[in-house]
Amino acid sequence: FQLREYVFLQFLGLDKVPSPQKFQPVPYILKKIFQDQEAAATTGVPPNMCYVKELGVPGNVLRLLPDQGFFLYSKKLSQASPCLQKLLYFNLSAIKEKEQLTMAQLGLDLGPRSYYNLGPELELALFLVQEPHVWGQSTPTPGKIFALQSVPWPQGALYFNLPDVAKDWNDNPRKNLGLFLEILVKEDRDSGVDFQLEDTCARLRRSLHASLLVVTFNPEQCPPSSRKRR
Amino acid sequence: AAVPALRASCKNLCHRHQLFINFQDLGWHKWIIAPKGFMANYCHGDCPFSLTTSLNSSNYAFMQALMHTVDPEVPQAVCIPTKLSPISMLYQDNDDNVILRHYEDMVVDECGCG
């Protein structure tokens, strides 16, 4: 059985039986794609397994990569200093050589949307890290900025498409130094609501969940669709 | 003149048999998130000459079955899948990545003599 299992795992693109300690949360979009494929299979009409219609991209493997980065702590929290600084890192080594990357979407989940315990407005900045982290340096040297936006909090999830960055990381793994995320609390004098900065930042750190959804297309498993015979 | 083929009882003839793959039986439920299993099915049964003229068989199976009736040394045609379909699998790998992948030819929909 072990030999046959090994062959099946190779077929799945795995080198050994996964033994996850805990199941990662499965995002809605993956559940929806899976259920749509199952529903299509029951109709007898073979679904196109090499095109992800829900995302509008070619692909036959979708991977949700969890963030493997870490928080950076600034010495003293003040209104001006960032509430949260995090290095985001995604391990793309699971992507096989012959796979072509067709989509990479960063998801930043800032916690459940709710309109009761409104938090302060946040200013979010996302940078590409282009230089290795120098030990002792409190924050990585931020490179190209991707996003700078104000969001009311709690906001739910924010999404950023990073196909070129992910392709570059996939082609040159050494370049994959991650992303630098910085979130400031915007002081809102006229709201009159006094937010305890410490608690607000602690709550934000607890609820932040980052992941990278990557779609790849394997030409060996997805032959170019043969021209329809006339 | 067609050589009278032995009347093989229907249940021994080539057809699709149900086979449900339960990932728990294989111990794979610890890393496969969905589905919990799937109906894979398999093909099994005889392919006498008479069948190759009716069931969706291939021409060479017809010729092989014909020759088998003339010379039993020639093996009979065999019962194989003639229509397959894919499934999607949602699983977690060793890096805690959640992966949704489609696999062709995992379900046997139809069988025939090939």
Side-chain angles (χ1 to χ4, degrees):
Chain A
F1 176 72
Q2 270 68 21
L3 173 65
R4 274 172 287 172
E5 182 177 56
Y6 174 74
V7 171
F8 181 70
L9 291 170
Q10 289 288 306
F11 172 60
L12 288 182
L14 295 166
D15 47 13
K16 61 183 169 57
V17 179
S19 47
Q21 302 314 310
K22 63 179 174 63
F23 271 143
Q24 295 288 328
V26 179
Y28 164 74
I29 186 65
L30 283 190
K31 279 187 203 143
K32 176 165 179 2
I33 294 169
F34 176 78
Q35 284 154 4
D36 289 354
Q37 294 285 0
E38 283 221 311
T42 54
T43 62
V45 176
N48 179 348
M49 298 303 232
C50 294
Y51 184 78
V52 188
K53 64 179 170 21
E54 294 81 357
L55 298 172
V57 292
N60 66 316
V61 185
L62 292 84
R63 294 181 176 87
L64 188 83
L65 311 180
D67 166 36
Q68 297 178 359
F70 48 87
F71 283 106
L72 300 155
Y73 292 90
S74 41
K75 309 261 181 311
K76 176 84 184 74
L77 259 185
S78 71
Q79 202 65 40
S81 69
C83 178
L84 172 151
Q85 293 178 313
K86 193 169 200 289
L87 189 84
L88 305 177
Y89 178 76
F90 301 99
N91 177 358
L92 272 64
S93 62
I95 298 176
K96 296 291 179 278
E97 184 107 11
K98 50 185 135 355
E99 294 180 39
Q100 295 164 16
L101 197 144
T102 57
M103 187 186 129
Q105 184 180 73
L106 172 70
L108 293 179
D109 188 349
L110 298 179
R113 242 185 255 268
S114 81
Y115 296 98
Y116 299 104
N117 52 344
L118 274 179
E121 188 150 333
L122 306 174
E123 184 152 288
L124 181 144
L126 187 65
F127 303 89
L128 177 65
V129 177
Q130 290 167 301
E131 287 171 29
H133 190 52
V134 175
W135 208 250
Q137 187 184 339
S138 63
T139 60
T141 316
K144 174 181 167 190
I145 187 163
F146 270 110
L148 181 58
Q149 66 185 67
S150 294
V151 289
W153 186 45
Q155 161 71 34
L158 299 174
Y159 295 100
F160 302 90
N161 282 316
L162 314 170
D164 301 336
V165 168
K167 272 194 191 98
D168 199 19
W169 286 348
N170 193 35
D171 297 343
N172 315 282
R174 268 200 297 273
K175 283 191 175 178
N176 181 0
L177 299 170
L179 299 167
F180 178 52
L181 172 67
E182 197 167 64
I183 300 182
L184 286 93
V185 168
K186 286 182 78 174
E187 192 171 350
D188 190 349
R189 295 188 207 297
D190 52 8
S191 72
V193 181
D194 176 32
F195 293 106
Q196 290 303 314
L197 197 56
E198 279 289 342
D199 302 353
T200 301
C201 297
R203 194 149 52 96
L204 194 52
R205 266 198 288 275
R206 272 197 309 274
S207 55
L208 176 68
H209 184 81
S211 57
L212 186 69
L213 177 62
V214 175
V215 181
T216 58
F217 176 87
N218 186 330
E220 285 182 357
Q221 293 160 1
C222 294
S225 49
S226 53
R227 279 160 50 87
K228 293 272 174 287
R229 285 187 225 312
R230 291 185 203 300
Chain B
V3 176
L6 300 174
R7 291 294 310 151
S9 68
C10 278
K11 73 177 172 50
N12 295 336
L13 293 180
C14 168
H15 67 283
R16 187 185 73 169
H17 299 253
Q18 286 216 329
L19 169 65
F20 182 75
I21 307 279
N22 182 336
F23 291 134
Q24 180 126 10
D25 296 345
L26 301 168
W28 292 349
H29 60 294
K30 297 181 189 104
W31 53 279
I32 294 182
I33 299 164
K36 293 305 170 203
F38 70 101
M39 194 62 85
N41 308 319
Y42 68 92
C43 298
H44 183 69
D46 299 334
C47 282
F49 173 62
S50 57
L51 202 64
T52 56
T53 58
S54 55
L55 197 67
N56 49 347
S57 298
S58 51
N59 291 341
Y60 71 82
F62 172 84
M63 295 312 294
Q64 188 173 338
L66 186 64
M67 288 316 295
H68 174 71
T69 57
V70 177
D71 171 5
E73 284 294 303
V74 174
Q76 265 196 339
V78 292
C79 186
I80 55 169
T82 52
K83 183 168 176 282
L84 294 155
S85 47
I87 67 163
S88 301
M89 279 175 59
L90 200 51
Y91 62 90
Q92 192 163 311
D93 69 7
N94 283 307
D95 296 319
D96 280 344
N97 300 324
V98 175
I99 298 170
L100 172 57
R101 201 172 183 139
H102 309 314
Y103 290 99
E104 296 290 349
D105 305 339
M106 294 286 273
V107 176
V108 173
D109 293 317
E110 292 170 12
C111 300
C113 294

